[in-house]
Amino acid sequence: GRRAPAAAPRAAMADAAKEPAAAAPKAKAEITMFDQVLWTLPEGVQQFVSANTYAIGIAWSCFGIIGFLVVYGLLQERIMKHPYGTGADEESFTWSLFLVMTNRLVTCAVNIVLLYTFARSEMAPVAPLYKYAAVSVSNVVATYCQYEALRYVSFPLQTLGKTAKMIPVMIWGYFISKKKYGLRDYGIAIGVTIGCAVFVMFGDEFESKRANSKETSMYGLFLMGGYLLFDGFTSTFQDKLFSGYKMSTYNQIFYVQGCSAIFSGFSLLSSGQLMPALSFVQRHPDALAHALTLSGASTCSNLFISWTIKTYGALIFATIMTTRQFISILTSCIMFMHPLSWPGQYVGMAIVFAALYYKSFTTKDKKKAAAAPAPELGPEDVEAAKGLLAPGQSA
């Protein structure tokens, strides 16, 4: 009878051998560049940032996406609308496919370096290649529909189309990711859309462009519908890839843009634009510098866009893109002391802020409900649990 206690240690050792994973120490959380920067700040700032991580992340996304897209738009206008050279040598750049190709190649080059440096295990495709290609094709079709629609759609409808990105994303989210949205969510999306449209439509720039805009045709409506349809699919399917394959932003950008580079390269060669474009940038090196800077802005905006979709989802990205014009105009009015029109722009601004504030308020409530701690077990609960054990077992 004296040797019986020795069985307990042996049994414990056997149980430990059966469950090595439970006894193994947990892996350390990944230390990001954001963490390293945060640790250099004063303790009070660290506490503030930690308590407002979500809001600061959204603000950072807005800053990056809107800022680089503004730079992209300015450079695109400089390249495509203003001539290069002087006097008899003055000529305009007209090969837009060359810019698309340059953007894709620069983005791929930057992201292959980022992949090798930060996510070397994802150098190979994480998802099937046709899924990367699906994002690429939908993006190309959406871009084509957007620019082609400018020729057949009135400026008011163009503006409404640019501010109506949230509803298509919600519909695609239901079909692709089985996400469910309530009436409150659709109400917020409609409120943001209406507010942005009202704000833009009552601006001075809108009035001048509306006077010179074209009448809307049925073909133009078809193109605007295609733009909203494929644009919503692009970001929603990106979100689906991130959640389904746990890939890094660098991996997705590299392979999606790689597919786009192949498509645009084929189009560039088949249309005969490659050699004339190369000859032009050889005659005007400043055009090449502008094209490369444009590609840099495009690359940075792609990084911000993919990070936003991966971190916050396609709907938040659509919200940022919907409010982009609103934020740009409002910032310009503040910086250059341009007065807002009364009552139109004030009403639009009030609708947007009310919808976004209500959205942030409901998001916080959902997070608090999800993060509610489980109730602690009291002594009576422990005793009840012991009573459920089989005879001969102990807690």
Side-chain angles (χ1 to χ4, degrees), residues 193-353:
T193 300
I194 293 175
C196 288
V198 169
F199 183 85
V200 175
M201 286 182 177
F202 280 89
D204 295 334
E205 183 182 1
F206 178 85
E207 292 298 331
S208 62
K209 288 187 177 180
R210 180 169 61 178
N212 300 320
S213 68
K214 301 177 181 179
E215 293 297 324
T216 300
S217 65
M218 288 302 298
Y219 181 59
L221 289 175
F222 175 78
L223 289 170
M224 284 302 299
Y227 162 65
L228 292 173
L229 184 71
F230 285 100
D231 185 70
F233 174 84
T234 300
S235 57
T236 306
F237 201 67
Q238 282 182 278
D239 193 5
K240 178 71 172 179
L241 288 180
F242 278 130
S243 60
Y245 291 93
K246 307 300 180 185
M247 62 180 62
S248 66
T249 57
Y250 313 130
N251 177 277
Q252 187 179 115
I253 292 175
F254 175 73
Y255 283 100
V256 169
Q257 296 300 323
C259 292
S260 297
I262 294 173
F263 299 146
S264 59
F266 176 78
S267 301
L268 189 65
L269 290 171
S270 60
S271 62
Q273 294 187 26
L274 179 60
M275 296 312 296
L278 290 175
S279 177
F280 184 94
V281 297
Q282 187 176 9
R283 295 192 303 271
H284 305 283
D286 51 337
L288 180 60
H290 289 157
L292 292 176
T293 308
L294 174 79
S295 300
S298 175
T299 299
C300 292
S301 66
N302 270 302
L303 288 169
F304 272 97
I305 288 170
S306 294
W307 181 80
T308 301
I309 293 174
K310 181 179 181 180
T311 308
Y312 300 107
L315 184 57
I316 292 295
F317 167 66
T319 306
I320 294 173
M321 295 301 291
T322 297
T323 57
R324 180 164 68 99
Q325 281 187 306
F326 166 79
I327 295 174
S328 299
I329 295 173
L330 187 59
T331 302
S332 175
C333 291
I334 294 173
M335 289 180 63
F336 300 105
M337 304 297 290
H338 294 160
L340 299 177
S341 65
W342 174 264
Q345 287 193 308
Y346 283 96
V347 172
M349 183 171 61
I351 295 173
V352 171
F353 278 128

Side-chain angles (χ1 to χ4, degrees), residues 8-266:
R10 285 198 294 268
M13 292 172 65
D15 291 340
K18 291 178 183 178
E19 298 178 338
K26 292 183 179 180
K28 294 182 178 179
E30 181 184 359
I31 298 175
T32 64
M33 187 180 298
F34 175 79
D35 296 324
Q36 295 176 350
V37 173
L38 181 62
W39 293 338
T40 63
L41 302 176
E43 185 176 352
V45 178
Q46 292 184 33
Q47 293 176 354
F48 174 80
V49 172
S50 299
N52 299 275
T53 303
Y54 183 85
I56 292 173
I58 295 294
W60 178 244
S61 295
C62 291
F63 171 79
I65 293 173
I66 295 173
F68 283 110
L69 286 180
V70 167
V71 174
Y72 180 89
L74 292 173
L75 286 168
Q76 187 179 47
E77 183 175 358
R78 168 64 188 92
I79 295 171
M80 299 299 296
K81 292 187 177 182
H82 298 277
Y84 288 89
T86 56
D89 295 330
E90 186 177 277
E91 54 184 333
S92 298
F93 186 90
T94 58
W95 302 276
S96 57
L97 279 175
F98 180 79
L99 292 180
V100 174
M101 181 69 176
T102 306
N103 290 348
R104 303 300 185 257
L105 291 177
V106 170
T107 301
C108 287
V110 170
N111 278 274
I112 194 65
V113 174
L114 293 173
L115 262 177
Y116 185 80
T117 305
F118 299 108
R120 197 171 302 181
S121 60
E122 295 185 21
M123 296 290 288
V126 177
L129 283 175
Y130 73 87
K131 293 191 175 183
Y132 295 105
V135 176
S136 174
V137 170
S138 66
N139 185 38
V140 169
V141 175
T143 303
Y144 170 79
C145 290
Q146 180 186 12
Y147 288 113
E148 188 69 11
L150 299 179
R151 300 167 54 191
Y152 302 97
V153 175
S154 65
F155 187 72
L157 190 59
Q158 294 173 29
T159 303
L160 186 61
K162 290 179 180 178
T163 57
K165 292 174 176 285
M166 296 176 68
I167 299 297
V169 168
M170 297 172 76
I171 295 173
W172 277 119
Y174 173 79
F175 287 105
I176 294 178
S177 303
K178 306 302 179 185
K179 293 183 178 180
K180 295 182 179 180
Y181 299 101
L183 291 176
R184 180 175 60 184
D185 299 310
Y186 283 103
I188 292 171
I190 293 172
V192 171
T193 300
I194 293 175
C196 288
V198 169
F199 183 85
V200 175
M201 286 182 177
F202 280 89
D204 295 334
E205 183 182 1
F206 178 85
E207 292 298 331
S208 62
K209 288 187 177 180
R210 180 169 61 178
N212 300 320
S213 68
K214 301 177 181 179
E215 293 297 324
T216 300
S217 65
M218 288 302 298
Y219 181 59
L221 289 175
F222 175 78
L223 289 170
M224 284 302 299
Y227 162 65
L228 292 173
L229 184 71
F230 285 100
D231 185 70
F233 174 84
T234 300
S235 57
T236 306
F237 201 67
Q238 282 182 278
D239 193 5
K240 178 71 172 179
L241 288 180
F242 278 130
S243 60
Y245 291 93
K246 307 300 180 185
M247 62 180 62
S248 66
T249 57
Y250 313 130
N251 177 277
Q252 187 179 115
I253 292 175
F254 175 73
Y255 283 100
V256 169
Q257 296 300 323
C259 292
S260 297
I262 294 173
F263 299 146
S264 59
F266 176 78

